[in-house]
Amino acid sequence: MRLPTSGGPSEQVLEAPIATSSFDCPSRPTSSCVLNSWEQGQLIFYALDPVQGRGKELARTRLGQPADLDWRVSPEGLRIAVSRGDQPHGQFRIVDLRNGTERNLQLPHDWGIWSLRWAVDGNALFVAAQSKSTGYLIVRTELDGKSRVLLDRGRNQWLGFPCPSPDGRHLAFSQQTFETNAYLLENF
């Protein structure tokens, strides 16, 4: 849907199945938003036109079923980072929209990726991951694959959805704490 900023009724732009489609927009206004769709085992990316809906195809990649998918458009709108639950642990894909090429970046093998987000400069990604050996992490991964752990909360504090500030100086994220208490109930 789109809604005029001056007010008035909303208008439908596109109808797509929520289970297999989503969209993301680059942070710089010079590029269009991107829509994804699953077709015959391929993840296909399209330009998302705010008036016409689905636009031209930008790229496609073969990934299997759309389970545990997280993908983000780079700030300038030239690349897409894709993470899936069924990819090898600690691996995500970079799809280049300029030429359709793709490459995989590998984090340590015992890391599972929860969510990812591009750094403001487009030269790295912030990754929320879970290490089987240590716990939940926020990691900065450069496009050459080098990673640096920014935050390690151990096993009792889940971390997710990293989000850099527009100036690139701060990083917001979600944190969920797990606590367990035991009680004894008598005479019930």
Side-chain angles (χ1 to χ4, degrees):
M1 303 295 287
R2 74 168 174 258
L3 181 65
T5 56
S6 59
S10 59
E11 300 174 36
Q12 183 173 326
V13 175
L14 176 74
E15 186 173 328
I18 195 165
T20 59
S21 298
S22 62
F23 73 95
D24 188 39
C25 299
S27 57
R28 298 182 193 150
T30 56
S31 297
S32 71
C33 293
V34 176
L35 171 75
N36 80 308
S37 177
W38 283 93
E39 297 174 21
Q40 300 175 353
Q42 293 188 22
L43 180 60
I44 304 173
F45 297 102
Y46 298 93
L48 178 58
D49 183 287
V51 176
Q52 302 297 323
R54 188 170 93 175
K56 70 174 186 165
E57 182 179 317
L58 301 172
R60 59 177 60 211
T61 185
R62 185 167 297 282
L63 284 175
Q65 296 300 314
D68 299 327
L69 174 69
D70 188 27
W71 64 273
R72 299 288 174 202
V73 179
S74 63
E76 73 288 342
L78 300 177
R79 292 166 293 185
I80 297 175
V82 181
S83 170
R84 289 188 27 93
D86 66 349
Q87 284 181 307
H89 268 321
Q91 187 177 93
F92 61 94
R93 187 171 295 173
I94 304 291
V95 178
D96 192 315
L97 298 179
R98 296 167 288 196
N99 54 26
T101 61
E102 54 188 63
R103 63 188 174 105
N104 292 326
L105 289 179
Q106 183 67 50
L107 299 174
H109 287 284
D110 76 331
W111 289 7
I113 298 172
W114 288 104
S115 54
L116 45 82
R117 191 63 74 89
W118 286 91
V120 174
D121 62 10
N123 293 323
L125 287 115
F126 294 105
V127 179
Q130 180 181 10
S131 166
K132 290 180 182 177
S133 59
T134 63
Y136 298 101
L137 314 165
I138 298 285
V139 179
R140 180 181 168 100
T141 302
E142 306 297 324
L143 294 180
D144 64 2
K146 293 179 185 168
S147 296
R148 179 170 49 112
V149 174
L150 302 177
L151 186 62
D152 181 346
R153 290 290 195 208
R155 296 185 183 278
N156 293 329
Q157 295 183 9
W158 178 85
L159 302 171
F161 310 111
C163 184
S165 62
D167 64 5
R169 297 180 57 181
H170 304 280
L171 184 67
F173 57 90
S174 293
Q175 177 175 315
Q176 182 177 353
T177 302
F178 302 101
E179 294 183 22
T180 304
N181 292 312
Y183 298 94
L184 177 61
L185 297 176
E186 294 182 20
N187 303 320
F188 59 92

